[in-house]
Amino acid sequence: MQEKFENCVTTMLELIGENPQREGLLKTPTRIFKTYEFLTSGYKQDIDEILNGALFESSNNEMILVRDIEFYSLCEHHLLPFFGRVHVAYIPNSKVVGLSKIPRLVEVFARRLQIQEQLTEQIADALMQNVGAKGVGVVIEARHMCIEMRGIQKANSTTSTSALRGLFLKNEKTREEFFTLINSPKQVRF
């Protein structure tokens, strides 16, 4: 597979008018293979394995929020990066998931070819289904290089998407609390 991938990169370099044999490009096909292997590593990860091994009994029935989770992904339409922050909250239903698993869940889906709208939905659905939460809220704010580097070329524009499940969708106060928390300025000092 690696050889086939590297041959495609070499062909691409030739098609854009480059010489893949010049010094600066000699190892580029291998570097690009390794880069894409990393950037698409989410295809090889199992959500059940990541989340179910870290579920713990708990009497907590209040919102748990992990905000400002940085992510980097690739737009499936142009293979250009989009990146930003994810805010994930859920209301447990007798079980909580280890806090480090929430950013790992984001990473699994971000490390696939994506569109932001689908990424938001996938994170919410996976948490809802695998943790058995009473509700889930996910908001993503991102910059897209397919907007900034090509096409309309509007630098620093951001796109926001949300996915609400269960109590976050049905209960206005829960939804309001979630949006208030993610939009409040950080005051934490350690």
Side-chain angles (χ1 to χ4, degrees):
M1 178 177 88
Q2 182 173 348
E3 183 180 348
K4 189 174 182 180
F5 188 99
E6 290 179 14
N7 288 339
C8 289
V9 172
T10 300
T11 300
M12 180 189 71
L13 290 170
E14 291 168 346
L15 290 173
I16 65 170
E18 265 295 352
N19 174 8
Q21 299 307 310
R22 73 175 173 86
E23 183 183 11
L25 295 176
L26 281 174
K27 295 182 181 177
T28 295
T30 301
R31 286 190 292 263
I32 292 177
F33 172 79
K34 289 178 181 178
T35 298
Y36 273 82
E37 187 175 47
F38 172 74
L39 293 176
T40 60
S41 60
Y43 290 115
K44 296 176 182 170
Q45 294 181 309
D46 183 341
I47 302 300
D48 293 334
E49 189 176 300
I50 290 170
L51 293 180
N52 289 333
L55 291 177
F56 307 100
E57 296 292 327
S58 175
S59 60
N60 184 325
N61 62 357
E62 298 294 327
M63 187 181 306
I64 298 169
L65 168 66
V66 180
R67 72 182 238 185
D68 295 319
I69 303 166
E70 290 183 4
F71 81 95
Y72 298 87
S73 192
L74 289 174
C75 162
E76 69 182 32
H77 299 144
H78 305 99
L79 297 184
L80 288 173
F82 70 98
F83 58 92
R85 298 191 182 278
V86 182
H87 313 292
V88 179
Y90 74 102
I91 298 175
N93 187 12
S94 77
K95 291 190 179 199
V96 294
V97 66
L99 290 176
S100 69
K101 302 306 180 185
I102 294 174
R104 285 195 66 201
L105 176 67
V106 169
E107 226 17 53
V108 167
F109 290 116
R111 295 282 182 228
R112 298 175 181 183
L113 300 182
Q114 281 289 8
I115 59 173
Q116 182 176 333
E117 301 87 340
Q118 188 65 33
L119 176 59
T120 311
E121 299 280 326
Q122 289 172 337
I123 295 166
D125 290 340
L127 194 57
M128 190 76 176
Q129 292 164 9
N130 289 278
V131 177
K134 292 178 184 176
V136 172
V138 177
V139 169
I140 298 180
E141 302 162 319
R143 290 177 55 193
H144 293 252
M145 292 303 101
C146 56
I147 292 173
E148 295 188 31
M149 293 175 64
R150 56 157 303 282
I152 195 151
Q153 298 178 13
K154 296 300 175 198
N156 298 311
S157 62
T158 58
T159 301
S160 296
T161 51
S162 66
L164 305 173
R165 304 288 186 267
L167 291 178
F168 285 79
L169 191 59
K170 296 174 187 171
N171 187 305
E172 186 177 336
K173 288 187 187 259
T174 301
R175 188 170 50 254
E176 186 177 304
E177 178 185 359
F178 173 57
F179 285 111
T180 298
L181 286 171
I182 67 171
N183 289 310
S184 65
K186 282 187 178 180
Q187 298 296 325
V188 179
R189 298 194 199 295
F190 296 101

